């Protein structure tokens, strides 16, 4: 049993909130609730922590009584063992959420029952027996708990388990990969399964995207259900049925528990049930959300309060609204109408803030009329519904303006950070830009001995900055409100800048210099795991950024081949070595749109993928680049990179050349000339190669019919697909598949 010290005499109480990722997933909603109930004498400090990453050991050094009066841990006990030990050694009171530790009070949420209930909803309410399940990461305890709930719900309903309807474990951001795995098994929505349940709302983006591309109507053709009730689940079309964890109840309880701990009062564990949130993605209508259980006005309003995350004050405003509506029904006059409209617009703003499906508001208001006074239905439809549309339009315009302003400020901040070459310059830039971004104060912390960590009440976000698995410093932001997306972006920008400064100011060691003197030079330097088949020239491989920089200073290569250099690292490498024109070829199997944007403006950088790497025309283009007979042109290279990503994004859907030209703002003829100058192939030659490469992956890993593989790879004609496949690979699709399966 750990010994808990009394709360310090700090002028403010400092609460640390540790999670694997406080800027994403379910913890975001939990933190948002805590921030809303934070008083003026308390600071809440969000801290990411990953026990398996040795660089995060420095986070533990910050966990002292001088910095924290209490700690909150979000996650399973085994993932935070070192934090529990440190808190015990320092005597810091601690509360855990979701994981039970014998020496500390815990708030438990029953996610198992929540998942089981939503599976049974599919089975009994929608008569669905073939239910697919998209799993989360294998190592995530919550993902495994929800998978077990799915299995137990099937068993309870007497439905045999079918292993082929369960995806392999996938990362939380890769829901599309999970669904693609079912496609690769030859299983399709409607015919093979009627519902898809995801272990988290984080998986929904990929699932919705892939189903949309394949032409399936969610809610009608196939039911889709998530878990966590994230804001994203509410903005999908249709909004997604999900399971809501009891964030508000737990947030309120946490403050009470911490206060008791500080006073030395014994605290017991508390448990809260998860709730099923019915929306249209499972085939239910908005009217089903209220059902027959809400038979009184108070019951309907309480249901609306839960759906729209309404505060006690907002619930009071909703109650007052109904009183005004009843009064106006009895005595219609201008003054009564004006009061009613003002009150209702305030109520609508409360509900729009939740991001919930606005059709639920329509259904809720009509249900209120039905259970209180059916004569009010015409007033609701004719008077209140138009006001909802007006409020939505105002909210939409305001949101667009806010997003536009934020993007401009972030863009300006990011550009300014490129000029920071010392930590003092970085700190000055932070102070200059922080106010416009909603940041009250910002610090870079280089030693864990600086105490106290924060001296002001409010909301703080702390993040370690790591370079090559070693901590550089901490970024600490004091913010007006909890905006997880903004804070994560700012920490990423600050982290890139700090890593950049760290690389620029880190001396290249003499010992490594001596080691490289003994190594012969090579034509090409490889950093990471770039394919060596790109060239038969002599090569040397490097595993660290410092080694690569030292080698370039010793002997300049013809080019660098890599799969892992980031845009910032490329800029730092060039600054450290003063070598601006060495071509850098980056070859990756998977590219993201964000990566494309970061590389676009870099000169002497050529992007490629396996489809290009297997082309003799591209290999010839590389040799010309290495020999400097056909160097890249800065003016056209950026446009060619944009085309590269546009083609990869469009490959699975037929399109005309003019559509691509229009998207990129180029003429059709110039588009073709520009792409061939960069890559050695025409647009259509590359597109066909990429489509065939994608088709080969499907043929080798699935049992999908050749006709479906052709369609999923962007071909409208199966015979044309087979001819193109034979032309580029030398084999028929069926022969390739048979050869792989021997």
């Amino acid at each position: 049993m750990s010994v808990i010290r009394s709360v310090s005499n700090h002028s403010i109480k400092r609460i640390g909130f540790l999670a694997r990722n406080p800027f994403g997933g379910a913890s975001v909603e939990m933190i948002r609730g805590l921030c809303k109930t934070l008083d003026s004498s308390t600071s809440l400090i969000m801290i990411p922590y990953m026990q398996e990453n040795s660089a995060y050991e420095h986070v533990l050094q910050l966990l002292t009584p001088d910095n924290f009066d209490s700690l909150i841990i979000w996650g399973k006990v085994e993932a935070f063992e070192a934090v529990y030990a440190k808190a015990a050694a320092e005597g810091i009171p601690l509360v855990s959420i979701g994981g039970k530790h014998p020496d500390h009070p815990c708030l438990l949420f029953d996610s198992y029952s929540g998942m089981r209930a939503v599976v049974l909803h599919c089975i009994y309410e929608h008569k669905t027996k073939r239910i697919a399940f998209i799993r989360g990461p294998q190592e995530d305890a919550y993902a495994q708990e929800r998978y077990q709930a799915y299995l137990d719900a099937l068993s309870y309903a007497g439905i045999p388990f079918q292993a082929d309807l369960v995806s392999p474990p996938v990362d939380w951001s890769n829901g599309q990969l999970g669904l693609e795995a079912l496609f690769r098994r030859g299983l399709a929505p409607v015919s093979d399964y009627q519902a898809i349940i995801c272990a988290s709302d984080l998986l929904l983006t990929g699932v919705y995207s892939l189903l949309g591309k394949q032409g399936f109507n969610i809610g009608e053709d196939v039911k889709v259900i998530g878990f966590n009730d994230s804001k994203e689940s509410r903005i999908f079309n249709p909004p997604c049925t999900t399971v809501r964890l009891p964030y508000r109840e737990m947030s309120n309880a946490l403050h009470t528990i911490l206060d008791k701990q500080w006073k030395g009062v014994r605290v017991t564990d508390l448990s809260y049930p998860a709730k099923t949130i019915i929306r249209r993605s499972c085939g239910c209508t908005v009217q089903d959300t209220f059902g027959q259980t809400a038979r009184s006005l108070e019951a309907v309003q309480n249901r609306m309060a839960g759906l729209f995350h309404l505060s006690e004050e907002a619930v009071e405003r909703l109650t007052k609204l109904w009183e005004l509506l009843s009064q106006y029904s009895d005595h219609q006059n201008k003054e009564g109408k004006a009061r009613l409209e003002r009150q209702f617009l305030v109520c609508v703003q409360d509900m729009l803030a939740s991001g919930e499906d606005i059709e639920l508001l329509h259904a809720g208001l009509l249900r209120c009329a039905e259970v209180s006074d059916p004569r009010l239905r015409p007033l609701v439809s004719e008077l209140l519904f138009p006001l909802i549309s007006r409020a939505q339009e105002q909210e939409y315009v305001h949101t667009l303006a806010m997003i536009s302003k934020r993007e401009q400020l972030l863009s300006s901040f990011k550009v300014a950070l490129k000029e920071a070459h010392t930590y003092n310059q970085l700190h000055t830039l932070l102070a200059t830009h922080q106010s416009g971004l909603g940041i009250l104060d910002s610090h870079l912390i280089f030693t864990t001995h600086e105490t106290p960590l924060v001296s002001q009440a409010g909301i703080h976000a702390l993040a370690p900055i790591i370079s090559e698995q070693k901590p550089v410093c901490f970024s600490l932001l004091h913010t007006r409100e909890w905006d997880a997306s903004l804070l994560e972006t700012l920490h990423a920008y600050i982290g890139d800048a700090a890593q950049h400064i760290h690389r620029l100011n880190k001396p290249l060691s003499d010992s490594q210099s001596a080691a490289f003197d003994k190594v012969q030079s090579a034509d090409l330097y490889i950093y990471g795991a770039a394919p060596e088949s790109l060239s038969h020239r002599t090569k040397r491989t490097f595993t660290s950024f410092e080694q690569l920089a030292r080698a370039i200073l010793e002997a300049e290569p013809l080019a660098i081949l890599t799969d892992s250099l980031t845009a910032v690292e490329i800029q730092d490498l060039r600054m450290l070595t003063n070598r601006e024109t060495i071509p850098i070829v980056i070859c990756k199997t998977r590219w993201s749109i964000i990566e494309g944007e970061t590389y676009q403006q870099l000169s002497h950088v050529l992007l490629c993928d396996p489809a290009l790497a297997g082309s003799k025309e591209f290999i010839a283009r590389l040799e010309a680049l290495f020999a400097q007979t056909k160097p890249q042109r800065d003016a056209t290279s950026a446009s060619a990179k944009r085309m590269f990503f546009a083609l990869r994004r469009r490959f699975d859907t037929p399109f005309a050349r003019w559509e691509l030209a229009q998207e990129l703002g180029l003429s059709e003829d110039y588009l073709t000339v520009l792409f061939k100058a960069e890559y050695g192939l025409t647009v259509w030659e590359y597109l066909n190669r990429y489509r065939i490469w994608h088709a080969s992956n499907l043929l080798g890993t699935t049992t999908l019919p050749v006709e479906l593989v052709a369609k999923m790879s962007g071909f409208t004609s199966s015979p044309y697909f087979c001819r193109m496949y034979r032309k580029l690979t030398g084999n028929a699709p069926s022969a390739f598949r048979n050869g792989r399966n021997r």
Side-chain angles (χ1 to χ4, degrees):
M1 179 70 71
S2 58
V3 178
I4 303 300
R5 63 179 177 82
S6 300
V7 66
S8 69
N9 293 320
H10 295 154
S11 58
I12 60 170
K13 297 183 180 71
R14 304 181 181 96
I15 304 170
F17 186 105
L18 288 92
R20 283 187 63 86
N21 180 16
F23 307 110
S27 60
V28 170
E29 298 293 336
M30 185 74 233
I31 294 171
R32 184 177 288 117
L34 279 172
C35 291
K36 287 181 179 179
T37 53
L38 203 64
D39 63 41
S40 59
S41 64
T42 305
S43 64
L44 184 63
I45 308 163
M46 271 56 73
I47 311 169
Y49 178 78
M50 287 182 277
Q51 184 165 277
E52 68 275 13
N53 188 331
S54 59
Y56 281 79
E57 291 178 4
H58 286 253
V59 171
L60 298 176
Q61 298 177 26
L62 295 173
L63 306 183
T64 67
D66 291 324
N67 288 328
F68 296 99
D69 296 296
S70 291
L71 297 176
I72 300 169
I73 292 179
W74 173 283
K76 295 296 183 180
V77 171
E78 54 270 20
F80 293 88
E81 290 175 342
V83 177
Y84 282 104
K86 177 69 172 179
E90 298 285 353
I92 303 175
L94 188 152
V95 179
S96 62
I97 304 175
K100 175 57 186 163
H101 191 283
D103 296 339
H104 302 280
C106 177
L107 293 183
L108 297 169
F109 48 85
D110 193 355
S111 60
Y112 171 89
S113 296
M115 176 59 78
R116 184 175 181 273
V118 84
V119 176
L120 293 176
H121 171 80
C122 262
I123 294 171
Y124 293 123
E125 293 296 325
H126 298 288
K127 313 302 180 187
T128 305
K129 293 187 176 181
R130 293 182 63 82
I131 303 172
F133 191 84
I134 308 298
R135 296 181 64 183
Q138 179 69 44
E139 68 279 3
D140 190 282
Y142 295 122
Q144 301 315 311
E145 181 181 55
R146 294 165 198 173
Y147 177 46
Q148 187 61 52
Y150 160 80
L151 297 175
D152 292 348
L154 294 180
S155 175
Y156 176 84
I159 297 175
F161 169 61
Q162 296 173 275
D164 58 347
L165 292 182
V166 178
S167 81
V170 297
D171 186 73
W172 289 126
S173 62
N174 289 331
Q176 181 166 328
L177 295 181
L179 186 53
E180 284 177 346
L182 302 188
F183 284 178
R184 286 196 295 270
R185 297 169 188 167
L187 302 172
V190 183
S191 58
D192 298 299
Y193 47 91
Q194 295 77 50
I196 302 170
I197 294 182
C198 298
S200 169
D201 289 349
L202 296 171
L203 300 166
L204 290 173
T205 300
V207 170
Y208 265 69
S209 175
L210 189 55
L211 289 173
K213 285 182 178 179
Q214 299 301 319
F216 293 104
N217 292 317
I218 295 173
E220 297 177 15
D221 300 331
V222 60
K223 306 171 196 330
V224 177
I225 292 174
F227 193 103
N228 276 342
D229 190 29
S230 65
K231 270 202 167 184
E232 291 75 16
S233 71
R234 305 165 208 164
I235 62 176
F236 287 120
N237 186 22
C240 193
T241 293
T242 184
V243 176
R244 177 184 293 171
L245 298 179
Y247 305 114
R248 179 186 297 175
E249 295 89 339
M250 290 192 296
S251 298
N252 292 332
L254 271 171
H255 288 294
T256 302
I257 289 174
L258 292 174
D259 188 59
K260 287 183 177 180
Q261 281 188 320
W262 292 331
K263 293 176 180 177
V265 177
R266 180 178 174 80
V267 181
T268 58
D269 297 342
L270 297 173
S271 181
Y272 298 89
K275 300 176 182 177
T276 302
I277 303 298
I278 301 299
R279 300 193 182 104
R280 289 177 284 145
S281 69
C282 68
C284 286
T285 65
V286 288
Q287 288 75 22
D288 294 328
T289 302
F290 296 95
Q292 297 304 312
T293 55
R295 296 181 179 179
S296 69
L297 179 60
E298 182 181 6
V300 177
Q301 290 178 341
N302 286 338
R303 181 73 170 137
M304 293 176 70
L307 286 169
F308 292 98
H309 306 268
L310 299 183
S311 63
E312 291 182 7
E313 294 80 6
V315 174
E316 290 176 3
R317 286 192 286 269
L318 183 60
T319 303
K320 178 65 175 177
L321 167 71
W322 219 253
E323 294 175 3
L324 292 174
L325 186 65
S326 299
Q327 292 171 11
Y328 180 71
S329 175
D330 295 334
H331 309 286
Q332 296 191 13
N333 54 65
K334 289 184 178 180
E335 292 78 9
K337 182 179 181 182
R339 285 197 303 272
L340 177 61
E341 288 183 345
R342 286 195 299 271
Q343 182 73 15
F344 183 63
L345 286 172
V346 174
C347 290
V348 173
Q349 292 300 328
D350 291 335
M351 298 181 194
L352 288 177
S354 72
E356 188 57 83
D357 183 6
I358 206 65
E359 289 195 25
L360 288 175
L361 177 54
H362 291 111
L365 292 172
L366 289 174
R367 184 65 177 160
C368 284
E370 289 174 2
V371 298
S372 61
D373 185 350
R375 294 176 302 170
L376 297 177
R377 280 184 63 98
L379 278 179
V380 169
S381 301
E382 297 168 11
L383 181 60
L384 300 188
F385 283 5
L387 294 177
I388 296 175
S389 299
R390 186 205 302 176
Q392 278 186 289
E393 184 177 346
Q394 292 172 346
E395 178 74 11
Y396 179 71
V397 171
H398 174 72
T399 301
L400 281 183
M402 292 291 292
I403 291 173
S404 176
K405 182 179 179 181
R406 174 181 291 184
E407 290 301 317
Q408 290 175 1
L409 291 169
L410 283 173
S411 178
S412 175
F413 181 51
K414 188 175 182 181
V415 170
L417 288 175
K418 293 180 181 179
E419 303 303 318
H421 303 310
T422 67
Y423 291 116
N424 283 337
Q425 291 175 341
L426 175 55
H427 191 271
T428 300
L429 286 171
L430 286 173
T432 302
H433 289 81
Q434 63 188 20
S435 178
L437 292 166
I439 303 301
L440 300 173
D441 200 5
S442 58
H443 296 281
L444 295 176
I445 300 172
F446 292 92
T447 171
T448 55
H449 302 297
E450 293 182 22
T451 56
L453 195 61
V454 300
S455 56
Q456 295 174 298
I459 305 165
H460 305 261
L462 180 79
I465 296 171
I466 298 169
S467 179
E468 296 187 351
Q469 296 303 306
K470 295 180 180 179
V472 176
C473 61
F474 292 90
S475 169
L476 179 63
L477 302 177
H478 181 194
T479 179
R480 292 191 185 97
E481 60 183 22
W482 178 248
D483 186 329
S485 176
L486 174 64
L487 292 169
E488 184 175 33
T489 300
L490 288 175
H491 276 306
Y493 287 176
I494 295 167
D496 286 344
Q499 290 171 351
H500 159 74
I501 294 167
H502 177 73
R503 284 191 291 267
L504 292 184
N505 292 278
K506 181 180 179 183
L508 300 176
S509 64
D510 293 335
S511 60
Q512 288 192 340
S513 175
F516 275 101
D517 287 339
K518 303 174 184 178
V519 182
Q520 291 184 346
S521 62
D523 291 338
L524 305 175
Y525 290 170
I526 294 180
Y527 181 72
E532 297 197 14
S533 60
L534 286 174
S535 176
H536 296 295
R537 291 176 179 267
T538 57
K539 305 177 185 71
R540 191 198 299 181
T541 300
F542 302 91
T543 57
S544 81
F545 182 88
E546 185 178 349
Q547 290 176 345
L548 178 62
R550 170 59 66 183
I552 292 172
L553 288 172
E554 296 290 332
E556 185 173 328
L558 297 178
I560 299 169
L561 308 182
T562 181
D563 67 342
S564 54
L565 276 177
T566 67
V568 173
E569 286 175 330
I570 290 172
Q571 292 169 321
D572 290 347
L573 188 66
R574 289 172 172 175
M575 188 175 295
L576 281 168
T577 61
N578 198 27
R579 305 293 195 276
E580 297 285 340
T581 59
I582 300 174
I584 298 177
V585 181
I586 308 175
C587 187
K588 294 187 178 186
T589 301
R590 292 186 177 275
W591 286 92
S592 71
I593 295 175
I594 295 176
E595 285 177 318
E597 293 174 351
T598 61
Y599 288 115
Q600 264 181 33
Q601 302 306 321
L602 291 179
S603 61
H604 305 287
V605 172
L606 188 64
L607 311 182
C608 78
D609 56 24
L612 279 169
S615 160
K616 65 179 185 297
E617 293 88 352
F618 180 69
I619 299 300
R621 168 71 184 102
L622 286 184
E623 286 302 315
L625 182 65
F626 299 157
Q628 298 185 345
T629 59
K630 290 184 179 180
Q632 288 176 284
R633 298 177 181 176
D634 291 349
T636 59
S637 183
S639 295
K641 292 183 181 74
R642 289 175 57 218
M643 292 171 59
F644 174 75
F645 284 100
L647 291 168
R648 289 172 59 90
R649 187 175 64 252
R650 285 174 167 266
F651 84 94
D652 57 354
T653 306
F655 62 91
R657 187 173 70 164
W658 69 265
E659 293 177 291
L660 181 64
Q662 186 178 67
E663 176 187 338
L664 299 172
L666 303 170
S667 71
E668 294 183 47
D669 292 337
Y670 183 59
L671 179 145
T672 302
V673 171
L674 185 153
F675 193 85
K676 186 165 185 178
E678 181 84 351
Y679 291 105
L681 295 84
T682 68
V683 170
W684 303 115
E685 287 172 340
Y686 167 68
L687 186 61
N688 280 329
R689 282 192 171 277
Y690 187 77
R691 285 171 169 170
I692 294 301
W693 173 80
H694 182 264
S696 295
N697 286 337
L698 292 178
L699 290 168
T701 58
T702 77
T703 57
L704 293 172
V706 170
E707 294 78 9
L708 186 54
V709 169
K711 181 181 178 182
M712 292 176 68
S713 302
F715 291 94
T716 56
S717 164
S718 181
Y720 176 71
F721 164 69
C722 292
R723 288 197 302 272
M724 185 57 64
Y725 197 95
R726 186 184 294 275
K727 176 183 176 181
L728 294 180
T729 68
N731 294 309
S734 56
F736 172 82
R737 170 174 277 169
N738 293 336
R740 288 286 295 268
N741 293 335
R742 283 174 187 164

